[in-house]
Amino acid sequence: MKILFTANRFPYPPYRGDKLKIYHLAKRLAQKHEVHLVTFLQDKNDLQYLSELQKIFTEIHLVPLTRLQSYTNTLFGFLYKEPFQVRYFHSRKMEAKIQELITLHDYDGVHVQHLRMAPYWEYYNDVPRILDLPDAFSLYWKRRIASSKGLSKIFNTIEQKRVFNYEKILDKYDLSLVCSREDQAYLQSERGIKNIEVLPNGVDVSTFSSEGHNYNPDKIILFTGNMDYAPNVDAVQYFVQDIFPLIRKEIPDVEFVIAGQRPVKKVLELAGNGVTVTGFVKNLQDMYAKASIVVAPLRFGAGTQNKVLEAMAMGVPIVSHNIGFNGLNIQSGEGVILAPEKEQFADECVALLRSASKRETIGKAGKEIIRTRYDWDVVAKKLEGYFLSIRKP
């Protein structure tokens, strides 16, 4: 097959989120199929990584979109009905480039990443198109409203209403994908969207792999993620303020490490009193190897969390709120312990920190789940199947 990936961000380096998923899916599909890429170039520094993408994609098309253009798009977004995040990526140059590519190539399938890129392929009904979403966005923003205040809550409410209305665009695609069964069920039952399937996030098990995790260290609690991402910022603030003190009452010398790029001021201010903020870490696997447990105390968001999958792949036990757990389709204890309330969350952390055997049992169960369900090889094979199912005769 000849497949075109339409990405909202330059997919390298593949550290987190949007970039990570496109890179790993395309890398694996390129072993059997011809894959092309069209994406925005917002930072010219990304050009240094072009050679890495050329190892995967037969053709790469970069459409310039400056930050100023995106900010202007967002500012004038009040004049339109689309979500602000969709307006942020509005580009007539991208529209023209896609029209050009359609005339040059007969694609067997087009992978459209994120709701942000959905308008570019909305009307190309003669081309097999898959819209791949990280989560059910209206559900994500609904949860975000519940955890916000003041002006932030007003903006989040406006965006949620726009996203809620805009999600109807999913019906214009041959198939839409979300990361978890929770998101799929929400879109089917609450939104009446039928052409929706599940494509989970994955893990590169060649990178995040531990043949023999050391379960003896019992003093380090780890949180990873992009630390300018609102759900992560809220999660670490909540953990430090409401949960970590309960744990320190039982284990006074325990440490909480926040590892992730671009920590905002609210995160940096958490450092001290047993809390360390590392900033960007190139090799996160080293952090997981040192961790006793990983926590995912997210109060809003949707989909599946890379931080949880990576920890499971490394054999590190996780304690998680519903968000970060519900999308995994597992039982509590299969790598992740579900703890929806702060007192229970603290108690589960303490129980794990006090028992190396429990950490090992939970951790090894998680590794097996990753091997059978969340290896990128498995996920890419599933995407290939979806493309074959919508391929035109």
Side-chain angles (χ1 to χ4, degrees):
M1 290 187 291
K2 182 188 290 187
I3 300 170
L4 174 66
F5 283 84
T6 307
N8 59 273
R9 300 190 191 279
F10 190 93
Y12 203 90
Y15 290 133
R16 284 287 169 187
D18 300 347
K19 299 183 177 188
L20 183 149
K21 189 172 188 179
I22 290 292
Y23 174 81
H24 284 291
L25 289 174
K27 180 180 179 181
R28 284 153 178 82
L29 288 180
Q31 295 172 7
K32 292 175 58 179
H33 307 284
E34 180 179 330
V35 295
H36 296 197
L37 171 69
V38 60
T39 186
F40 288 114
L41 180 67
Q42 287 204 299
D43 187 347
K44 291 184 178 180
N45 290 326
D46 286 338
L47 291 173
Q48 66 182 300
Y49 304 118
L50 190 58
S51 61
E52 294 296 329
L53 295 183
Q54 288 170 336
K55 298 174 183 177
I56 299 172
F57 297 99
T58 303
E59 290 187 10
I60 298 173
H61 303 274
L62 304 178
V63 178
L65 180 67
T66 66
R67 302 287 183 187
L68 179 59
Q69 286 175 298
S70 289
Y71 296 151
T72 302
N73 287 341
T74 306
L75 179 62
F76 286 97
F78 286 99
L79 303 177
Y80 299 86
K81 294 182 179 180
E82 295 98 334
F84 288 102
Q85 60 189 297
V86 173
R87 293 304 305 175
Y88 182 94
F89 288 96
H90 174 71
S91 167
R92 295 203 178 279
K93 290 183 179 179
M94 178 61 79
E95 292 173 352
K97 175 56 69 175
I98 287 174
Q99 181 61 55
E100 175 190 337
L101 293 175
I102 284 295
T103 61
L104 293 174
H105 297 282
D106 184 15
Y107 294 113
D108 296 296
V110 175
H111 181 277
V112 183
Q113 181 196 32
H114 217 289
L115 196 68
R116 300 162 183 170
M117 303 302 287
Y120 293 112
W121 289 94
E122 181 178 359
Y123 299 110
Y124 290 99
N125 297 325
D126 55 336
V127 181
R129 298 151 302 141
I130 291 177
L131 178 58
D132 192 353
L133 307 175
D135 46 40
F137 280 100
S138 57
L139 177 61
Y140 164 87
W141 285 96
K142 182 180 179 180
R143 288 170 169 171
R144 187 162 176 172
I145 290 170
S147 301
S148 57
K149 299 177 181 178
L151 291 176
S152 177
K153 188 162 190 171
I154 293 173
F155 173 80
N156 292 342
T157 301
I158 294 171
E159 183 72 348
Q160 197 277 336
K161 290 180 179 178
R162 291 185 173 211
V163 169
F164 186 87
N165 292 326
Y166 195 72
E167 275 180 338
K168 296 174 183 176
I169 200 172
L170 272 66
D171 286 326
K172 297 186 177 182
Y173 278 79
D174 299 281
L175 183 65
S176 293
L177 305 174
V178 287
C179 289
S180 73
R181 296 197 181 281
E182 178 190 22
D183 292 57
Q184 180 191 36
Y186 166 81
L187 289 170
Q188 288 175 332
S189 61
E190 300 292 327
R191 307 309 320 280
I193 296 170
K194 302 303 180 185
N195 62 330
I196 189 84
E197 295 290 346
V198 176
L199 185 75
N201 283 327
V203 180
D204 183 2
V205 296
S206 64
T207 299
F208 294 97
S209 177
S210 174
E211 293 303 321
H213 182 76
N214 184 1
Y215 291 99
N216 291 319
D218 57 2
K219 295 294 188 296
I220 297 178
I221 301 173
L222 176 66
F223 181 96
T224 68
N226 289 337
M227 296 318 303
D228 58 352
Y229 179 52
N232 289 341
V233 175
D234 176 79
V236 295
Q237 285 183 301
Y238 168 58
F239 185 82
V240 170
Q241 294 165 4
D242 290 19
I243 300 174
F244 195 48
L246 300 177
I247 299 172
R248 296 194 83 191
K249 283 183 181 179
E250 301 295 324
I251 307 175
D253 56 346
V254 68
E255 301 176 40
F256 179 46
V257 178
I258 302 170
Q261 60 186 341
R262 301 188 302 271
V264 297
K265 183 179 179 182
K266 289 180 180 179
V267 175
L268 294 172
E269 290 174 346
L270 298 175
N273 296 319
V275 179
T276 300
V277 179
T278 68
F280 174 73
V281 176
K282 184 175 182 179
N283 296 314
L284 274 175
Q285 57 268 39
D286 294 339
M287 302 300 298
Y288 289 119
K290 297 175 183 177
S292 309
I293 61 175
V294 165
V295 292
L298 287 95
R299 295 192 289 183
F300 62 94
T304 53
Q305 303 295 322
N306 289 322
K307 63 179 67 61
V308 174
L309 297 178
E310 290 168 356
M312 290 172 70
M314 293 288 292
V316 186
I318 304 109
V319 181
S320 176
H321 268 188
N322 300 71
I323 297 164
F325 177 86
N326 286 349
L328 294 171
N329 195 31
I330 62 173
Q331 298 296 315
S332 182
E334 293 182 327
V336 187
I337 295 176
L338 175 63
E341 304 298 332
K342 66 178 183 180
E343 291 83 6
Q344 181 189 3
F345 201 107
D347 290 344
E348 294 291 358
C349 289
V350 169
L352 281 170
L353 292 171
R354 285 177 170 169
S355 174
S357 62
K358 184 174 184 178
R359 293 196 297 276
E360 183 172 0
T361 298
I362 301 296
K364 287 185 174 179
K367 281 178 68 88
E368 181 61 18
I369 294 290
I370 293 297
R371 186 186 68 81
T372 57
R373 301 186 201 174
Y374 292 103
D375 184 330
W376 277 121
D377 290 342
V378 176
V379 178
K381 186 69 176 178
K382 195 168 188 178
L383 177 59
E384 180 186 45
Y386 287 141
F387 272 119
L388 290 171
S389 73
I390 65 168
R391 189 178 180 183
K392 305 297 183 186

